Amino acid sequence: MLLAFDVHYRENEARIVGVFFNWEDIEPIRIVIENVNEVKEYIPGEFYKRELPCLIKVIAKVDLSNIEAIIIDSPIYVDNFETFGLGGKLYESLNKKIPIIGLAKNSFYSNSMTVKEVLMGMSKKPLYVSTIGIDLNLAVEKVKKMYGNYLIPDILKKLDSITKHHSISGVFVFCV
């Protein structure tokens, strides 16, 4: 099973949503939601300092024993020297036990050697895949199997919608 996260910020508050699913699922198996009242201020170049505590707060409350990988909307590395971004920092904080897959709509010019471009569905724009703790080529093949006709797989679009609008239908929701 996989766990994907999205975080939506409003001033100094955040809503963190995680969806549990399998690679080819159309709908989440389970959804977790956490609201955080005080988040750190965004510092350019240090995004992980804002987002990582939010993710860790939710991760601490869920069972990770059956999780194959965690998917985040951020690259693993910020440059070709493998300087950790959010994904790498998350991997370290989980004691390097759970692989992290970064799926990003944009790439940094400085991390082009640490990502693979994947065309999803009918999209002409690539999705940038990066990994730590799992082979990049294997992750790319699995990402290609995710359901959807456009750049972002449908289950991740649903995650984004839930995070921003909290509109949920037909799935089990567990608010932590």
Side-chain angles (χ1 to χ4, degrees):
M1 186 175 314
L2 302 160
L3 174 58
F5 283 106
D6 193 21
V7 181
H8 179 69
Y9 297 97
R10 185 170 292 144
E11 297 177 20
N12 67 336
E13 297 178 341
R15 174 183 293 135
I16 306 97
V17 178
V19 293
F20 293 83
F21 64 100
N22 295 302
W23 284 110
E24 297 180 31
D25 286 351
I26 296 171
E27 294 290 331
I29 296 168
R30 180 176 166 217
I31 298 171
V32 293
I33 300 170
E34 174 79 23
N35 292 306
V36 177
N37 293 324
E38 293 183 30
V39 296
K40 294 183 179 185
E41 191 172 320
Y42 171 70
I43 300 169
E46 297 181 346
F47 172 67
Y48 70 91
K49 288 184 177 179
R50 183 176 203 200
E51 188 133 332
L52 185 60
C54 295
L55 298 180
I56 295 300
K57 185 167 186 167
V58 176
I59 288 170
K61 296 179 181 182
V62 299
D63 179 8
L64 298 176
S65 61
N66 293 319
I67 298 300
E68 177 183 342
I70 293 175
I71 296 176
I72 59 169
D73 179 19
S74 181
I76 304 300
Y77 306 105
V78 296
D79 60 30
N80 291 327
F81 302 107
E82 298 186 351
T83 303
F84 284 161
L86 174 61
K89 298 285 187 180
L90 178 58
Y91 184 67
E92 281 188 326
S93 71
L94 296 172
N95 298 316
K96 302 178 182 178
K97 292 183 178 177
I98 300 188
I100 310 296
I101 300 171
L103 301 180
K105 295 176 282 269
N106 299 299
S107 181
F108 299 129
Y109 72 92
S110 60
N111 76 347
S112 61
M113 298 186 68
T114 63
V115 299
K116 287 235 179 181
E117 295 182 9
V118 177
L119 289 175
M120 301 292 292
M122 299 182 299
S123 178
K124 301 218 184 298
K125 184 179 187 307
L127 190 61
Y128 297 92
V129 180
S130 58
T131 63
I132 190 166
I134 183 174
D135 179 72
L136 180 57
N137 293 316
L138 174 63
V140 164
E141 290 308 310
K142 290 183 176 260
V143 167
K144 286 180 182 178
K145 294 179 181 179
M146 294 178 77
Y147 181 81
N149 292 320
Y150 301 100
L151 176 63
I152 305 300
D154 286 3
I155 204 155
L156 300 180
K157 279 194 248 182
K158 180 170 277 239
L159 170 61
D160 180 67
S161 177
I162 294 166
T163 306
K164 289 180 179 148
H165 307 292
H166 204 62
S167 61
I168 304 166
S169 60
V171 292
F172 173 71
V173 177
F174 174 72
C175 295
V176 292

